[in-house]
Every structure is written in structure tokens, then in C-alpha cells.
Amino acid sequence: MKRWETEGIAELADLNLPEEEHLKKGVAIIECIQEIPCNPCVDACPFNAISMENINALPIVDYEKCVGCGKCIEVCPGLAIFVVKIINEKAIIMLPYEFLPLPKEGQKVKALDREGKEICDAVVKKVREGKTNVITIELPAEHAMNARNIRVR
Amino acid sequence: MRIKEHPILEFKRGKEIYFYYNGKKLKAYEGETIASALHANGIKILSKSAKLARPRGFFCGIGKCSSCLMKVNGIPNVRTCITLVKEGMVVEDDDKDLPSKEYPPCSHKKMKCDIAVVGGGPAGLSAALEASEHADVLLIDENPRLGGQLIKQTHKFFGSENERAGTRGIKIAEELEEEVKNRGIRVLLNTSVIGYYERENHFLACVNKMAGKVYEIEAKKIIFATGAQENMLIFEGNDLPGVYGAGGVQTLMNVYGVKPGERGLIIGAGNVGLILAYQLLQASVNVACIVEAMPKIGGYFVHAAKIRRCGVPIYTRHSIKKAYGDGSVEGAIIAKLDEKWNFIEGSEMDIECDFICLAVGLIPSIRLVAQTGAEISYINEAGGWVALHNEYMETTKEGIYVAGDLANIEEASTAMIEGKIAGLHAAHSIKQIVGFESKIKKYMEELEIFRQGYFGARPKKAKEEIRRRYYEKMGDRRNS
């Protein structure tokens, strides 16, 4: 049994990760690793970068086409999509956030890993309110693949 | 106890009113149920058990169990979880009386329709909407509002665009309700269907208890969309107030904006338990952990991941041993299970919590449809006893249809498609509809696609068995 099946935590080996060059421009990483009947991300992508064989299949991101706009983050019912961009030593992560209070731009928050553990400080760069709010944070590049939530306050 | 701000929901509370609980004057808001108003006032004990006088709180929160029965304005056995509180109402927890001969007089009204739909959740609303394009429809629901369990689903729905994927359940409920209003479909709210009988047509006996109204409804076809109810789990202290069905907590919290407590323990890591954990966090309620007896998480990984990254642990192969507390839940003991599902001695953990939510599955609510004489059969994959039905959702009793959870525990998305199929076929069998074949084929294909994946395997198997037994029973008589 895989860890995600018993604990609900994905490991990097479970994910289909982009190459370094893709991370430089920023791309969507879809942490959707179990077949469920769901496809709004496919319809939401303005660049047709997300494809799915059928409604139960796993979504596949074409990292060449993806520009990291994050439109898919907002519609994903599973809140499973993150946009990650790496510029030198910094990582910029866009993540879904459905809690109150909403952080403010420039505010310092704690970045959390997939287990909800604090891993480092992060700075909020942008707050995009929508169907699901999308928060953009900046943090050290080494945490790019682990920071998946924030704690405000 | 009242939720002041929420990231998804906006609670529009009605006019401030006052009611009496055991002689004490309490504040409430118009539009909320008696049980919610009592909770908001910190009152979790709603009655006492008849024999041993053990305290009772509400469990299901949707009018399906008998845990919240109280005496209201002198009327015994009122389900306070679905009855709206009114100015000056007199609510008493002394509810041991049987109704007397002096039961308040009721007005009696006869109504006729082509198709009666019982239950205004996703399946019933979809059935009513579909059927109303071709027939005269009457929709009956015992809740104060339409929408069924959609009205507490704050998460975005899965599925495809046809079933409104990406839209939150609460929004889907609003949209369907609006459509029902726009179509001018007749609706009876706060009205329980209490019996079925047959003359030349199908008949339903209904009652609106608080308004003192009795209805006799004559229909050519009836679609039952009565949903399901939550399973109980056996453990010491499971009757303590503060042990809730997961859905009951969703209703309290997401419909009426009242917190169930400060820190909860959730039993069951299926989608209901996982989603509930997330919703509790959104309402600023702490979640101690989720325990799951199975070796694997039963719900969607994405739902589990959402709460894990908020720091909520999930313990698989664990279950609850007992709940303890004086009058209501003050804590619980959980422990690890071995391969034979026995508790492993020494693995106990004392969990600090002031409420417990059971999310251990649902059973189809078939009691009404069973009265019609439709063939009922036990099918494990379907969640228990269900009415056998064909691909058009018609039962073995002609003119009696089922749709949604009472026809197999599944999803709101599939319930909506089943409702459309039942509505369309019921209308078509009254008066032929042009384009019926192509339309119904489209719905059936949508259903099939839904049931293709890993999570579709169980419902698919259930439906195949239901149909197999249906045709076994009906033989060739109805095959044509």
C-alpha cells in the first residue's frame, strides 16, 4: 500500500513533476493521483494544456503548453493544483486557500508541508479572490516541492 | 456557538424572535430549526430516553431518526431538527406522552397531479424539473426548504460540466430551487408523506404537523427520492448527546451557522468524514483526528490531502472504543484494530473532544416505497435494502419510481441523472414524448461514464444486481 492510500499524503515519487526549464516559467503541478470522475481542470485551461483520456483518468499537464496562469487552481474541486515557479533561490507558489482570515499582500505567513507541519516562513505576494481564492507566496526554492499550505497569523 | 464569519458561506439570519424551552425564554432567529436554536443557546440535551431517562441529543439532523423528538406547543413527538422555531413557541423536553384523543383538529385537502415526487433533494428536484416539461408535477418535502443534502455541501462538485462540476453543492441547490420556482411547479414543504395506498390511481397521505394540515394526493405516477440516513455505530456511550451523524453536523453548521462544539473526533474516512473535517476547519472548529477501521482511506485522496495539509491526522485501522462524559461528550477512547478487527490492548488513545461525528455509511430510506408493494431486496453493494428497479428507475410496481440514494447509496451527481431518467420516463408513460429515446439514452450514457472508474465499481455492481433481480422478478412481462 502506498502512503497516500493509508495516510493521505503524496510523495514526490507519486507525482508527475516538471523539468527544471518548465519550473523557470512556472507550471501547474496537479497532485491528483487517484482516478476519480472529475474533469473541470481540462475545461478551465485557456491553453489546452491539461488533457484526460476519459472523465475517470488522471489529468496530464503538457508542460510545454502550460504557462502557469493558475486558472485550474480555482476550479479544481479537490484543491489539488499548485503552480510552482523557481527563480534563482526563490520559489513562487500559487495555492488554493479556503479559510479566513485571508492574508494580505506582503504579509509574512508560515508555509506548511503536506502533513500540515511548518517548514519555513513565506511572504504573500498576491491574493486572488475567486471561486476558490488563490494565494501566491514566495519562499526559499528548496521548499518548492513541499510547501502546499499556509498558516496565517 | 454561532459562526460569525465563514470563508464560503454567508449566514443571513432572520428576525430576532423568542421562544420558550422548559419555561425559559430563549433567543432565536426566524428561519432556523428548533434544534439549531437550542444548540445555539448551548442546549444539547433535547429529551430523555423513555425507560432509563438517559439524555438524548439530535443525531441525523434531517428528520430521519427519532433522537430529537420534543413536545412543541403541546404536540408530542415533533422532530425539532426539521421544524422551524416560531415566535412564542413552547418547547418541552418532556415527551413521554402518546398523542391523546384531543389531538388538534386538522384541515383536510385533496390534490391531484400527474406525477408526485417525494423528496426535494438532488434526485427529486431533477425528477420534478424533467417531468414538469411534459406533465403536471407536485413536489413534496418534509423539510422547511428544498435542496435535500445539497444545502450543506460547501465543496465544489466533482464530475463533468453536465452535472455542474466545479460548482458548490449549495449553489446547485439554489439553482435547482430557482428553476422549480420559475417553472411554477407546485411544492408542499414541511409536509411528511406518511402513507401510500392504492385505488384506481396511486395515493399518498401527507401531513404538515405544525400547520395542522392533512393532504390526500392522487397521482398517476410517483417518484420516490427519499434519500438515505446515516448509520449508527456500536460503542459504549454512543447515545451521549454530542455523538452526531456527520450529516447532522453539516446541517447544523453549514445551513444554520451553529457550531457543534469546539473540538471534534470523526469516525470514518470516507468522503463524508473527510469533507466534514474540512468543513469543520472552515468553521473554525478544531478536528482532533479521523479514525478509520479499514486499512485504507475510503474517500478520495484529494479530500484526505486537503485536511492532512491542515495538520489533521488520519488513523487507519483504528476505531472508537467508547465515548465518555457527564450528560454530553467530554472525550473518547480510540484504539488500534488487529487483522480480525479486534482492539489491540494497550493501543488506546484518549482523545480530547466535545463532540463525535459518525461518518460510517448510509442506508437507503426505503420505508415509504416499501409500502407500495414494490419488490424490496437486500443488496450489500447498494447499502442494504433497496427497491428493485429497471434502467428507467421504475420499480416492480407499475408507476412507482425511485431515484437517488434510496435506490443505491451513491453521489448527488448520479442522483441528479437518475432523477432526470425517472422524471422523463414517468412523463413519457403518461403521454408519449417526442425525442424520448435519444434523450433518455443520453442520460444513461452519462450515468455509465460516471460508474466506470475505481469509485464507480461498487455502484455499478449494485445497479447490475438490482436490475438482474428486477428482471428475474418481472420476467418478460415488462421487457417489451
Side-chain angles (χ1 to χ4, degrees), chain A residues 5 12 16 32 47 50 60 71 78-79 87 90 94 111 121 129 136 148 151 153:
Chain A
E5 293 177 285
L12 293 184
N16 180 14
C32 183
F47 304 95
I50 308 175
I60 294 165
K71 281 264 190 299
L79 308 188
I87 318 166
K90 295 276 179 210
M94 290 165 82
D121 287 335
E129 291 188 47
T136 306
R148 289 296 177 265
R151 181 166 293 138
R153 271 191 282 227

Side-chain angles (χ1 to χ4, degrees), chain B residues 339-358:
Chain B
E339 305 286 302
K340 289 178 183 155
W341 309 94
N342 294 316
F343 286 112
I344 298 173
E345 227 171 285
S347 68
E348 288 84 1
M349 280 193 271
D350 194 340
I351 303 294
E352 189 200 327
C353 58
D354 62 353
F355 68 99
I356 297 167
C357 304
L358 302 187

Side-chain angles (χ1 to χ4, degrees), chain B residues 225-260:
Chain B
T226 46
Q229 67 184 87
E230 240 147 352
N231 284 331
M232 200 2 128
L233 191 69
I234 297 173
F235 59 90
E236 188 184 331
N238 68 356
D239 68 335
L240 270 179
V243 176
Y244 303 105
V249 166
Q250 288 186 321
T251 303
L252 183 68
M253 181 169 71
N254 296 344
V255 180
Y256 299 108
V258 178
K259 289 185 194 185

Side-chain angles (χ1 to χ4, degrees), chain B residues 1 44 244 252 258-264 284-286 354-355:
Chain B
M1 298 293 272
K44 285 188 173 185
Y244 303 105
L252 183 68
V258 178
K259 289 185 194 185
E262 294 305 323
R263 188 175 158 89
S284 299
V285 178
N286 292 312
D354 62 353
F355 68 99

